């Protein structure tokens, strides 16, 4: 008998029928012998609707009131799931985030979980109940209700699994696992039986649509094994974990010589800034990047060209949403160091080949560059990390690049 935390997303509890269906799945699992804590999102588009409603009242709803309002969405779904379980004869109890012991800081709309006090959860479990927890919310020391940011129920589930030392955390959603590429772009993606936390995080925008990155990070820190699977069918799903390949029970042992590339990621959220004619002397990079860091803007790819007559061009990328602000910060800095020009552009995308262990095998980068060359795709910038090789290319060629790389690295469904 194991303790398992499950999470059901908004579409899985979208209406009364789906709620009853989810309750039947939970009941079956309980009958198979597992102890269960179940975290739920708000029904369907409830959160969006509540935000729209608040905006009809006032252009700028106060953050505290908005969080209290939004928290009701998950309270509705948790109570209904609990009622459905009781109707099936299963002892259950619904708890708000606060009742479940989720303590957060005071950053309304994007609160961070500071601690989970699992006493109440344990007591209910000891009494043999299935505990249904309203996701996406917590409470501050001052007893104000906060929300964790959009998609935050995943984070609630992983945090509870960590606090209870659960066997694993199961995220049930409307996709049935993690694929080697975004299925909306690549026609023949394969489903991965398993993936490491770091690899999952590198899947960028595609991965983030499946699961909240903060939840994956939390899982990595506390070593919570996370299964992503469909709530609509019984197909096996993808296990996110840290153990080396082959140790996962139920998964097929993988050969050492397997292709170390597990997927192709892409992300169109790229804004590029180039500072032209930067004097090539110590301290310049600090002068430019420190103010950006202070403004909370994270800089991604940074490239400094070889200097010609002690002048160099410095190029870096930021999220599109930060581009305007970043330019406003960099312009006066550039002026102060005598750099004549700051250029900004969008229309770019990142394409990455992702896989732990690529570094130890030669030829991955070469194969990526050759593939893009054969497609006639120009590489604007290149960066690498331990688990990925990234090229920045013209946004209009993103889909071609993903498909060509998927083929070149032999990732298509067998
Ligand atoms: N209901 C919240 C949202 O839509 C939280 C979640 O679904 O995880 O963002
Ligand atoms: Mg939702």
């Amino acid at each position: 008998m194991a303790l398992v935390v499950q999470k059901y997303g908004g579409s899985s509890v979208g209406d009364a029928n789906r709620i009853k269906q989810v309750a039947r799945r939970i009941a079956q699992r309980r009958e198979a012998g597992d102890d269960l804590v179940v975290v739920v999102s708000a029904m369907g588009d409830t959160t969006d609707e509540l935000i729209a409603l608040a905006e009809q009242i006032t252009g700028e709803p106060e953050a505290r009131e908005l969080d209290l309002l939004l928290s009701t969405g998950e309270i509705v779904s948790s109570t209904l799931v609990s009622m459905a379980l009781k109707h099936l004869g299963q002892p259950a109890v619904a708890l708000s985030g606060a009742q479940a012991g989720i303590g957060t800081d005071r950053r309304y709309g994007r609160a961070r979980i500071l601690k989970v006090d699992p006493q109440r959860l344990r007591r209910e479990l000891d009494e043999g109940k299935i505990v249904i927890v309203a996701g996406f919310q917590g409470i501050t020391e001052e007893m104000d209700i906060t929300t964790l940011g959009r998609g935050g129920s995943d984070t609630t589930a992983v945090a509870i699994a960590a606090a209870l030392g659960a066997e694993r955390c199961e995220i049930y959603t409307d996709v049935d696992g993690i694929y080697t590429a975004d299925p909306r772009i690549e026609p023949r993606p394969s489903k991965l039986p398993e993936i490491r936390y770091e690899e999952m995080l590198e899947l960028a925008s595609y991965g983030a649509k499946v699961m909240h990155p903060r939840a994956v990070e939390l899982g990595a820190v506390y070593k919570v094994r996370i299964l992503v699977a469909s709530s609509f069918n019984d197909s096996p799903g993808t296990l996110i974990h840290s153990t080396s390949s082959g140790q996962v029970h139920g998964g097929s042992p993988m050969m050492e010589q397997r292709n170390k590339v597990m997927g192709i990621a892409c992300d169109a959220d790229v804004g590029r800034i180039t500072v032209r004619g930067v004097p090539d002397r110590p301290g310049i990079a600090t002068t430019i990047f420190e103010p950006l860091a202070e403004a909370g803007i994270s800089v991604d790819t940074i490239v400094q060209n070889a200097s010609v007559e002690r002048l160099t061009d410095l190029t870096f990328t930021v999220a599109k949403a930060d581009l305007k602000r970043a330019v406003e910060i960099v312009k006066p800095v550039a002026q102060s160091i005598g750099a004549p020009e700051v250029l900004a552009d969008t229309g770019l995308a990142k394409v990455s080949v992702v896989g732990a262990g690529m570094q130890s095998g030669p030829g991955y980068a070469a194969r990526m560059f050759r593939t893009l060359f054969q497609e006639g795709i120009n590489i604007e910038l290149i960066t690498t990390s331990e688990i990925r090789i990234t090229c920045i290319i013209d946004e209009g060629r993103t889909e071609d690049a993903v498909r060509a790389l998927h083929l070149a690295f032999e990732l298509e469904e067998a």
Side-chain angles (χ1 to χ4, degrees), residues 255-391:
M255 293 143 291
E256 255 277 272
Q257 61 272 46
R258 83 176 170 112
N259 183 357
K260 293 196 168 98
V261 172
M262 54 67 33
I264 310 298
C266 64
D267 183 358
D269 189 11
V270 182
R272 175 171 60 178
I273 295 179
T274 300
V275 188
R276 299 277 306 275
V278 176
D280 190 10
R281 58 178 149 83
I284 289 292
T286 319
T287 319
I288 293 177
F289 292 115
E290 243 166 31
L292 290 171
E294 276 160 22
I297 295 175
S298 50
V299 173
D300 190 28
T301 312
I302 304 177
V303 180
Q304 184 184 324
N305 293 333
S307 67
V308 180
E309 291 174 0
R310 307 207 63 76
L311 290 180
T312 162
D313 290 348
L314 192 67
T315 300
F316 58 93
T317 65
V318 297
K320 271 183 187 162
D322 288 336
L323 186 62
K324 198 164 154 266
R325 223 155 44 93
V327 170
E328 278 161 16
I329 291 169
V330 170
K331 271 205 167 137
V333 179
Q335 223 168 28
S336 75
I337 58 174
E341 207 175 5
V342 177
L343 307 170
D345 59 349
T346 51
L348 299 166
K350 275 187 276 195
V351 180
S352 306
V353 170
V354 178
M358 276 196 299
Q359 256 190 344
S360 60
Y364 289 97
R367 198 185 321 178
M368 180 176 195
F369 304 152
R370 166 162 298 278
T371 305
L372 294 176
F373 163 65
Q374 282 165 347
E375 283 292 305
I377 296 172
N378 187 43
I379 301 171
E380 305 266 340
L381 294 172
I382 300 167
T383 55
T384 61
S385 79
E386 259 173 44
I387 62 161
R388 67 172 164 82
I389 307 163
T390 301
C391 292

Side-chain angles (χ1 to χ4, degrees), residues 71-254:
S71 72
T72 62
E74 270 71 8
I75 292 181
V76 169
S77 52
S78 62
T79 50
L80 294 174
V81 171
S82 175
M83 287 176 199
L85 280 164
K86 289 189 223 204
H87 186 75
L88 295 173
Q90 294 288 345
V93 60
L95 299 178
S96 69
Q99 289 172 314
I102 312 284
T104 76
D105 63 20
R106 281 188 287 177
R107 299 197 295 172
Y108 294 112
R110 55 196 169 100
R112 300 239 153 204
I113 297 176
L114 298 178
K115 61 172 200 293
V116 178
D117 176 357
Q119 280 185 51
R120 176 75 185 267
L121 290 167
R122 285 242 162 77
R123 197 170 78 222
E124 301 290 358
L125 288 167
D126 287 347
E127 288 174 12
K129 288 180 196 154
I130 303 170
V131 189
I132 317 298
V133 178
F136 173 60
Q137 55 185 275
I139 190 165
T140 66
E141 278 195 335
E142 293 79 19
M143 310 292 268
D144 284 314
I145 302 298
T146 52
T147 66
L148 309 179
R150 298 306 305 268
S153 300
D154 291 341
T155 307
T156 305
V158 175
I160 288 176
L164 292 173
E167 167 78 21
R168 67 182 185 183
C169 181
E170 301 175 349
I171 305 285
Y172 290 103
T173 170
D174 45 10
V175 299
D176 63 359
I178 312 298
Y179 284 79
T180 47
D182 189 334
R184 284 161 309 177
I185 296 177
E186 166 55 44
R188 290 183 63 201
S190 348
K191 199 194 319 177
L192 296 159
E194 55 178 317
I195 184 173
R196 293 169 202 223
Y197 301 109
E198 314 86 68
E199 292 173 328
M200 176 70 191
L201 288 169
E202 290 294 352
L203 290 180
S205 58
Y206 156 52
K209 268 172 215 130
V210 180
M211 216 191 137
H212 202 282
R214 252 171 78 189
V216 181
E217 280 168 18
L218 198 63
V221 172
Y222 291 97
K223 299 273 182 302
V224 177
R225 291 147 54 88
I226 301 169
L227 178 80
V228 175
S230 166
S231 59
F232 301 108
N233 63 47
D234 291 320
S235 97
T238 302
L239 189 67
I240 311 173
H241 65 109
S242 62
T243 40
S244 60
S245 303
Q247 291 181 6
V248 184
H249 63 216
S252 55
M254 291 207 177

Side-chain angles (χ1 to χ4, degrees), residues 7 9-11 41-42 44-45 47 74 150-151 153:
K7 181 254 170 178
S11 55
S41 288
D45 298 326
T47 309
E74 270 71 8
R150 298 306 305 268
S153 300

